[in-house]
Amino acid sequence: MIERRPFAELGGADHGWLDAKHHFSFAGYHDAARMGWGALRVWNDDTIAPGTGFPPHAHADMEIITYVREGAITHQDNLGNKGRTEAGDVQVMSAGSGIRHSEYNHESVTTKIFQIWIIPDGRGQAPSWGAKPFPKGDRSGQFVALASGLPGDDDALPIRTDARVLGATLKAGESAEYRLGRDRRGYLVTASGEVEIDGVPLAARDGAAIRDVDSFRVTARSDAELVLVDSAP
């Protein structure tokens, strides 16, 4: 099953400095049919105005992955971590027993991010944060693990859950196949471009909920950038 979730039909709110779209129930947006997808709980598509951001706030017991689509985001937390993550790169925060952090767009341009929350396998572990560059050329024509709790994904940022976050870039007409497994859940979003997943069309920033398939093939109608979460059901 592949269910298209058009960007225009997502929930969300425009706060002026932040225009947020939600693939799943979040904050003031609630849809009982969209409380998550497997271990994936949140996928927010955030547009952040220059010189603004999220002031210090707390999280616990959640794996939070930030994929920067445009601009850059600057993180600071109460553990002493501080870092700037640029477009195409990824940061991971394992909230564990509790962490307090801020995220600001200190750039002179708009920053656009995907923020992805995945439920961890355990609770109360020590919190941590990390970031890493992932050159888009390295994922040209294929899915590459960006953050993962699965064995074998040694080059990915570690997360504490039975899931992985992957990225791919495809040229127009190019295809990539991903072996998901019928006992897994996949959720794919086009960061840019237009694609088809086994014939189901997706425009830029659309989502696709995928289940009960051994594998699927993504074919680009135009140059495209993709982000995929593969998680336990």
Side-chain angles (χ1 to χ4, degrees):
M1 185 209 80
I2 300 173
E3 177 194 348
R4 177 178 174 243
R5 297 186 173 179
F7 176 76
E9 297 178 10
L10 300 181
D14 189 345
H15 303 281
W17 66 273
L18 169 67
D19 186 4
K21 299 294 184 184
H22 310 311
H23 286 262
F24 302 98
S25 293
F26 186 82
Y29 165 62
H30 179 78
D31 182 340
R34 297 207 177 164
M35 294 303 296
W37 190 249
L40 173 61
R41 176 60 188 85
V42 168
W43 192 312
N44 290 343
D45 182 327
D46 292 338
T47 301
I48 307 167
T52 67
F54 302 91
H57 57 286
H59 293 283
D61 292 322
M62 193 64 69
E63 303 298 294
I64 300 175
I65 300 97
T66 302
Y67 181 94
V68 183
R69 295 168 47 227
E70 296 180 21
I73 199 80
T74 298
H75 164 100
Q76 188 167 358
D77 62 45
N78 63 330
L79 302 179
N81 298 307
K82 185 174 183 178
R84 177 178 175 273
T85 306
E86 299 181 348
D89 298 341
V90 178
Q91 68 173 19
V92 166
M93 186 171 69
S94 294
S97 58
I99 190 170
R100 188 170 179 83
H101 80 128
S102 63
E103 284 185 311
Y104 282 100
N105 174 14
H106 290 312
E107 314 304 312
S108 60
V109 298
T110 298
T111 287
K112 298 179 180 180
I113 65 172
F114 289 149
Q115 191 167 93
I116 297 164
W117 295 15
I118 305 177
I119 299 168
D121 289 340
R123 299 173 63 87
Q125 300 182 64
S128 66
W129 176 85
K132 187 175 178 179
F134 288 95
K136 292 183 181 180
D138 292 352
R139 42 194 153 113
S140 177
Q142 63 180 339
F143 285 100
V144 171
L146 309 174
S148 179
L150 301 181
D153 291 336
D154 298 333
D155 293 332
L157 286 161
I159 52 177
R160 302 163 180 168
T161 183
D162 184 3
R164 58 162 62 101
V165 181
L166 306 106
T169 59
L170 299 177
K171 297 292 186 183
E174 193 172 26
S175 296
E177 184 171 349
Y178 185 75
R179 297 195 62 80
L180 181 66
R182 292 182 179 270
D183 61 341
R184 306 284 293 179
R185 295 287 183 269
Y187 199 85
L188 185 145
V189 178
T190 50
S192 63
E194 298 182 354
V195 303
E196 289 185 0
I197 306 177
D198 288 349
V200 177
L202 295 185
R205 298 163 79 185
D206 287 354
I210 307 164
R211 70 177 185 188
D212 300 327
V213 299
D214 291 319
S215 63
F216 58 87
R217 179 174 292 273
V218 184
T219 301
R221 291 176 163 181
S222 62
D223 291 357
E225 181 179 354
L226 312 172
V227 181
L228 168 68
V229 170
D230 167 354
S231 86

